[in-house]
Amino acid sequence: MAATDVPDDTLEQPASGSLVGAIKPNALVHVTVNVGDGDTQLVLLPADPNGRRRLIIVDAIRASKLEKLIDDLDQAGVLGVGGPLVEIVVATHPHTDHIRGVPRILTRYASSKPELWEPGYRHATGAYLDILGRVARHDLRRTVVSAGMARFIGQTRVAVLAPSVSLQQRFDSYGIDVNNSSVSLKLAYPATQVVRQATAMGVTHSVVDYDIGQSLILGADAQMLSWSHVLADFPQLGPRSTAVTKALRIAGGTAPLRAAIFKVPHHGSKHGLTLELIEAINPKVSIVSSVRGGGSYSFPHEVAMSQIREAVNPRAGKPAVPHDPDHKLILLYTGSTVTPSGTPAGSVCVICEPNGRREMWRLMDGASADIDLNQARMMK
Amino acid sequence: MLTDAVVRTVAPICDDLSPSRGSVLARRAALNEPPKGCGQTSYEPDPSVPRIVPGPRAGQDGGPLVLPDPMFQRLLERARTLGSPLRWVVIDDLYEEICELAISPWPRVTDGMLVFAEEERIDEEEVHMVGAIDQSTLWENARTARRAQYEGVPDAAELIDRPLQVGDTFAAALDYSVIESDAPVGGSRVEVTFRDGMDVTAEARLFTKVQVALANAPPLSREEIDPGDVTGG
């Protein structure tokens, strides 16, 4: 299917500096870069007390486009003083449409000593072997990650949902599809449930027993075998009203797969989703990286998109009533164009604030064009 | 005994199940026993087989990877004649009728590691390309290449007719025709025609292991591991 178009009147008009101005220091920013049939994602973590942001790069097929975006954000002052600080580079799995630009990224940001996260699936492609070469040459840390691992960086929790340990053990024995080796992540911001408050009695620290902030699940190219492990490894507990679930909610959450923002796995492949998975995630924003026109594999597949629509806007019981249009369901495709102009809607930028507020922006870039931040348009 | 279906999906570490023209085949034929590998609870090394396997090596003057196989020299000559530089071609994905290929230049060897894209190149990311080829066409190309390689070797038919799988690697002289000139993947998405090639899957698997190990930790010297007993059982 072709990516669904975006009506022009659902976007604010561009204004110079408006996107940069919208990124507050305490905001976490996620960009799904429009690179066509591939993946390139950038996460700007909230600024540290010195005003400096750390970056996480999740895959890079088109390194030059990503570098230009980072340079522009740096020049606009979004990254703080001292230049880009890349904390983690995630090579989700060794398919070339995800990692082709990663060797160059590792070279470019070697001075900030990024840690390479990857699933440990050995592949003989030149791009994968070049990644390993860069790790050795620049003395970088390489971490083979698996489900359950979590890294806390400032107020952000970066957790690994997949691959499961048992799948990882199969890489070298019975083998699995490369897509199912994918590193799928869940980012939660803020990472704490503790609030500090100055009162007449002094400073108090309290625990918030409801979900605050927002989470992102970045699905890479994981397919159902991998998601089946995720569903088993991260069970949703309920009902949510009992004393036990309340206690668990404070401890670590009863809905570990719930996430407001869902980077849809595998470019919307029919093999990457089930209704139950999407219902467990319960996304408010779903983002599909896909080329306009379907590309080689006709991504996104209609059957997969229908499941997202049904999960967020149930109609199975009322088949005569159509689903709301994708832009109202906030089901976004990097390959979309704006109607009626036909210009690309392009990359998707989500700005997440710790109070749960978020803004979605379209960066209006074609797949092979650079991003001009001044052309960005906020979604109404 | 593993079934054929399982064998096809076995990943690189199981050397004894990998196609190879070298020591594994010779050993298997000599011992007249089924391959050892995954699922075996014990493994008794054959004392007649050297236990240090050479990793990637450049030619005498350094630089490009050289494979110690007469077929490779013949392929180099042929590529030169055809005007098609040798490429490192890996099956990246198999999906329905399409075979997606990861195409890189023929690597150089530096400190035991394969280097495909030199870091100094501005267009470094353009070095790795994505190509598409019809699966049945690649299958025929692979069989032709393997037939020349394996003729006369025990188990030749098994090696020649081995189904394509993700990770299979070829040294190949290719022709490209651009099918999407402004495709976001690789600058251009290309349709590939094999002009000549050889199956280097076994070597690629070994070199990948070496590369992973060197990314994990620096190499040891031979003296450090066992100065008195590093070559035999």
Side-chain angles (χ1 to χ4, degrees):
Chain A
M1 68 170 273
T4 308
D5 290 333
V6 179
D8 188 81
D9 61 5
T10 63
L11 301 171
E12 301 282 3
Q13 288 305 309
S16 180
S18 56
L19 172 61
V20 168
I23 302 175
K24 296 175 184 167
N26 68 349
L28 180 147
V29 181
H30 174 260
V31 184
T32 306
V33 181
N34 181 17
V35 288
D37 241 348
D39 258 19
T40 300
Q41 297 170 75
L42 174 67
V43 181
L44 313 182
L45 299 181
D48 65 18
N50 297 317
R52 197 166 187 197
R53 291 178 184 274
R54 293 172 187 273
L55 312 182
I56 298 175
I57 292 169
V58 182
D59 290 331
I61 179 173
R62 191 170 278 263
S64 52
K65 180 168 183 172
L66 179 62
E67 289 171 9
K68 169 78 164 49
L69 171 62
I70 293 172
D71 287 347
D72 288 351
L73 289 166
D74 189 31
Q75 286 183 6
V78 175
L79 305 185
V81 178
L85 195 56
V86 179
E87 182 80 12
I88 301 171
V89 176
V90 185
T92 61
H93 65 294
H95 269 154
T96 307
D97 65 334
H98 287 248
I99 64 164
R100 177 173 154 266
V102 170
R104 175 169 157 161
I105 289 292
L106 293 175
T107 299
R108 170 74 195 271
Y109 300 108
S111 61
S112 56
K113 292 289 178 191
E115 182 174 347
L116 174 73
W117 285 16
E118 58 123 342
Y121 189 106
R122 294 184 297 206
H123 203 20
T125 61
Y128 181 68
L129 296 175
D130 271 347
I131 288 173
L132 297 172
R134 300 299 193 272
V135 168
R137 180 166 175 179
H138 296 288
D139 195 23
L140 305 178
R141 290 163 295 162
R142 167 177 172 262
T143 302
V144 175
V145 299
S146 56
M149 175 181 166
R151 168 72 51 80
F152 293 85
I153 308 169
Q155 267 300 0
T156 307
R157 177 178 188 264
V158 186
V160 179
L161 300 178
S164 73
V165 173
S166 62
L167 268 187
Q168 208 162 48
Q169 295 305 308
R170 289 163 58 175
F171 293 176
D172 283 345
S173 55
Y174 288 87
I176 66 164
D177 186 289
V178 181
N179 291 312
N180 277 324
S181 74
S182 284
V183 175
S184 298
L185 300 172
K186 181 177 180 183
L187 277 61
Y189 172 65
T192 185
Q193 294 280 102
V194 176
V195 292
R196 182 174 55 201
Q197 193 171 15
T199 68
M201 306 292 289
V203 176
T204 63
H205 290 77
S206 312
V207 177
V208 179
D209 79 341
Y210 58 90
D211 293 331
I212 58 173
Q214 43 206 321
S215 299
L216 303 87
I217 286 182
L218 312 180
D221 273 6
Q223 301 187 104
M224 275 320 299
L225 175 63
S226 178
W227 289 117
S228 67
H229 285 252
V230 171
L231 287 164
D233 287 344
F234 300 92
Q236 309 274 96
L237 302 177
R240 292 167 61 82
S241 55
T242 67
V244 171
T245 52
K246 183 175 179 183
L248 287 170
R249 194 158 64 238
I250 294 172
T254 54
L257 294 183
R258 186 151 298 170
I261 296 129
F262 182 34
K263 168 66 174 50
V264 174
H266 206 180
H267 322 288
S269 163
K270 63 186 178 184
H271 296 120
L273 291 171
T274 64
L275 192 63
E276 290 86 348
L277 173 68
I278 308 160
E279 287 174 341
I281 295 170
N282 192 24
K284 308 303 177 200
V285 179
S286 303
I287 304 164
V288 182
S289 60
S290 65
V291 68
R292 179 164 184 78
S296 299
Y297 303 119
S298 300
F299 293 146
H301 292 152
E302 175 59 27
V303 65
M305 297 304 98
S306 295
Q307 291 183 89
I308 295 177
R309 294 181 192 116
E310 180 62 21
V312 302
N313 185 213
R315 289 286 188 264
K318 302 174 189 169
V321 182
H323 290 113
D324 292 344
D326 287 348
H327 66 271
K328 287 196 172 169
L329 302 178
I330 319 186
L331 172 52
L332 311 174
Y333 310 85
T334 54
S336 290
T337 55
V338 178
T339 53
S341 66
T343 54
S347 304
V348 178
C349 174
V350 186
I351 302 173
C352 304
E353 296 182 9
N355 58 5
R357 184 175 176 275
R358 64 179 158 268
E359 288 180 1
M360 273 78 63
W361 290 70
R362 302 306 299 259
L363 306 188
M364 316 307 292
D365 52 311
S368 47
D370 285 335
I371 292 170
D372 178 353
L373 294 174
N374 290 323
Q375 296 302 315
R377 299 176 68 180
M378 189 173 75
M379 292 175 59
K380 293 178 181 172
Chain B
M1 195 66 185
L2 297 171
T3 65
D4 285 349
V6 172
V7 169
R8 278 203 297 275
T9 61
V10 165
I13 200 170
C14 309
D15 288 330
D16 285 355
L17 299 172
S18 306
S20 169
R21 299 173 304 285
S23 60
V24 175
L25 270 177
R27 184 175 65 206
R28 191 191 304 174
L31 298 178
N32 191 26
E33 62 182 20
K36 292 175 179 176
C38 301
Q40 298 285 331
T41 54
S42 63
Y43 179 81
E44 290 299 323
D46 177 355
S48 68
V49 176
R51 296 185 62 192
I52 289 189
V53 182
R57 287 179 180 169
Q60 299 242 334
D61 52 348
L65 171 69
V66 171
L67 301 178
D69 187 316
M71 282 288 298
F72 180 71
Q73 290 304 326
R74 190 198 64 79
L75 179 61
L76 272 182
E77 281 303 314
R78 175 86 173 130
R80 204 168 290 135
T81 307
L82 293 170
S84 274
L86 209 55
R87 302 274 178 175
W88 180 271
V89 180
V90 183
I91 298 181
D92 209 19
D93 208 354
L94 296 167
Y95 186 79
E96 296 178 352
E97 302 299 313
I98 303 170
C99 177
E100 193 126 302
L101 298 175
I103 304 166
S104 303
W106 191 252
R108 303 171 67 82
V109 182
T110 303
D111 294 332
M113 302 186 89
L114 303 185
V115 178
F116 297 84
E118 301 293 343
E119 292 190 270
E120 295 71 22
R121 285 185 61 161
I122 302 250
D123 62 343
E124 183 189 342
E125 69 174 335
E126 303 297 331
V127 165
H128 304 293
M129 293 194 299
V130 175
I133 188 168
D134 184 76
Q135 279 197 37
S136 57
T137 305
L138 181 62
W139 166 239
E140 284 307 318
N141 292 145
R143 290 181 76 207
T144 302
R146 290 169 179 164
R147 201 171 288 122
Q149 288 175 247
Y150 300 134
E151 211 158 37
V153 171
D155 300 334
E158 181 189 337
L159 294 167
I160 292 166
D161 293 332
R162 191 174 62 83
L164 299 175
Q165 58 184 10
V166 171
D168 282 0
T169 307
F170 300 89
L174 305 173
D175 272 349
Y176 304 107
S177 53
V178 175
I179 53 176
E180 274 183 76
S181 61
D182 60 347
V185 177
S188 299
R189 182 173 287 267
V190 296
E191 197 165 67
V192 173
T193 306
F194 264 61
R195 302 190 74 184
D196 203 352
M198 65 185 282
D199 186 330
V200 296
T201 304
E203 290 85 350
R205 290 174 176 180
L206 173 66
F207 299 163
T208 301
K209 283 181 209 171
V210 172
Q211 198 105 339
V212 169
L214 288 172
N216 290 342
L220 295 168
S221 67
R222 284 182 68 154
E223 291 74 19
E224 282 177 285
I225 57 170
D226 186 352
D229 184 21
V230 292
T231 55

